[in-house]
Amino acid sequence: MDFEFPFTELPAVLRGPRVERRRVLDGGSAFWGTIVENGPHAGRLRLDDGRVVDADALACLPPVEPTKIIAVHIAYRSRSVETRNKDKPSDTPTYFTKPPSSLNGHGGRILKPADCRYLNYEGEYAVVIGRTCRNVTPDEAWDFIAGFCPALDMGLQDFRDTDQGSMLRVKGADTLLPIGPGIVRGVNLFEQTLRTYVDGLVVQEARIGEESIWGPHYVIADIARHITLVPGDTILMGTPCHSRSVDAGQVVECEITGLGRLRGTVVAIDPPRAS
């Protein structure tokens, strides 16, 4: 990884105690809450209005409200070897964007249009910006991170050639970014393992601290040289090797130890009316 690791002192966002914030739907309204880590209510969700509820009883909304979503093309060595036949794709990261309308919550439906043959999964972790960030160094970037989320960067690969690298239709369609269940801080991200599951079987696995090419602080500093990042903005940090297509009816999950396990179900829909 292109930074000194292990750290002499962990940045605050990576140090305990663990805090997980979720946004849920209750009675048609959105509420924020915090997962209770200890005591008689451990594992339950304490809403900001004081109520304590079963964390799985309410539908999860995406725990981010970004003005922009930026994704790294390749950030894992295994993915670079698989797609580029080399250990590192370039000297610096390259990026694409997904529209906020692609967001989806934990337990949601991932829509696969009938005119698309390939819908690929990519298990990732997302970095969420906590305060306005511009022109920072990598060391300073840690202080601008609100936390991390499991994410599924789904893609309609039928459009890869016609999008000519922009990934707009490949990655930007509605529902193609399940994220959550919550946003977590207080966990050393680099000691965690990322796993993607399809119908309960592991299809991707990577130790984040061993396989990553660039850390989130490097990527934030790189982007913020010229683009202002504001609270809620979300950066997707790439996927390891073995991204493949899934079909309607299959369940896709991304688990990051210490952060949580995200789930989405692929559902077939009619093709668009405009051919």
Side-chain angles (χ1 to χ4, degrees):
M1 191 179 293
D2 285 1
F3 60 92
E4 187 177 348
F5 184 81
F7 303 95
T8 55
E9 182 180 0
L10 280 177
V13 70
L14 303 182
R15 295 198 306 265
R18 182 186 188 275
V19 178
E20 179 179 348
R21 296 277 290 167
R22 292 191 185 184
R23 191 163 67 106
V24 296
L25 189 64
D26 183 22
S29 297
F31 292 88
W32 281 96
T34 303
I35 293 291
V36 180
E37 297 290 335
N38 300 295
H41 295 301
R44 304 192 77 199
L45 182 67
R46 178 175 283 112
L47 300 178
D48 289 354
D49 63 12
R51 289 178 293 149
V52 178
V53 299
D54 184 346
D56 298 322
L58 300 176
C60 285
L61 298 170
V64 294
E65 298 179 89
T67 66
K68 48 192 167 291
I69 301 165
I70 301 173
V72 182
H73 273 114
I74 295 179
Y76 284 81
R77 298 191 189 281
S78 64
R79 182 68 165 163
S80 182
V81 170
E82 180 184 48
T83 61
R84 303 292 194 274
N85 199 30
K86 54 185 178 179
D87 195 45
K88 187 177 178 182
S90 61
D91 290 334
T92 58
T94 59
Y95 307 99
F96 61 93
T97 62
K98 291 172 76 97
S101 54
S102 66
L103 284 167
N104 197 346
H106 168 60
R109 303 195 311 164
I110 304 167
L111 304 182
K112 184 176 184 179
D115 63 333
C116 292
R117 183 177 178 183
Y118 301 107
L119 172 63
N120 284 31
Y121 55 79
E122 294 185 9
E124 311 197 3
Y125 75 88
V127 185
V128 184
I129 298 298
R131 58 192 181 99
T132 301
C133 179
R134 176 75 160 85
N135 193 23
V136 299
T137 67
D139 285 345
E140 294 167 342
W142 293 109
D143 295 332
F144 295 84
I145 297 175
F148 307 95
C149 310
L152 284 165
D153 182 18
M154 307 297 292
L156 295 170
Q157 297 297 325
D158 302 69
F159 296 115
R160 177 173 285 276
D161 291 339
T162 52
D163 270 358
Q164 298 183 357
S166 76
M167 308 295 276
L168 177 63
R169 286 169 294 183
V170 175
K171 297 296 186 74
D174 296 351
T175 76
L176 293 195
L177 182 52
I179 189 168
I183 174 174
V184 178
R185 62 184 292 121
V187 171
N188 187 348
L189 182 73
F190 302 107
E191 293 182 346
Q192 310 311 312
T193 298
L194 181 156
R195 296 184 183 92
T196 306
Y197 301 81
V198 174
D199 294 338
L201 300 177
V202 176
V203 292
Q204 291 182 295
E205 184 169 10
R207 183 83 166 174
I208 292 172
E210 295 174 0
E211 266 210 49
S212 297
I213 300 172
W214 295 288
H217 62 317
Y218 182 99
V219 168
I220 288 170
D222 187 34
I223 294 170
R225 290 187 301 161
H226 304 291
I227 298 173
T228 298
L229 300 169
V230 300
D233 282 354
T234 301
I235 302 170
L236 301 174
M237 287 297 300
T239 196
C241 63
H242 298 147
S243 166
R244 300 292 186 268
S245 185
V246 286
D247 297 317
Q250 294 192 288
V251 176
V252 186
E253 298 171 283
C254 176
E255 176 187 47
I256 299 176
T257 57
L259 299 189
R261 186 158 171 162
L262 167 72
R263 182 184 71 254
T265 302
V266 181
V267 175
I269 61 172
D270 292 336
R273 293 168 53 220
S275 60

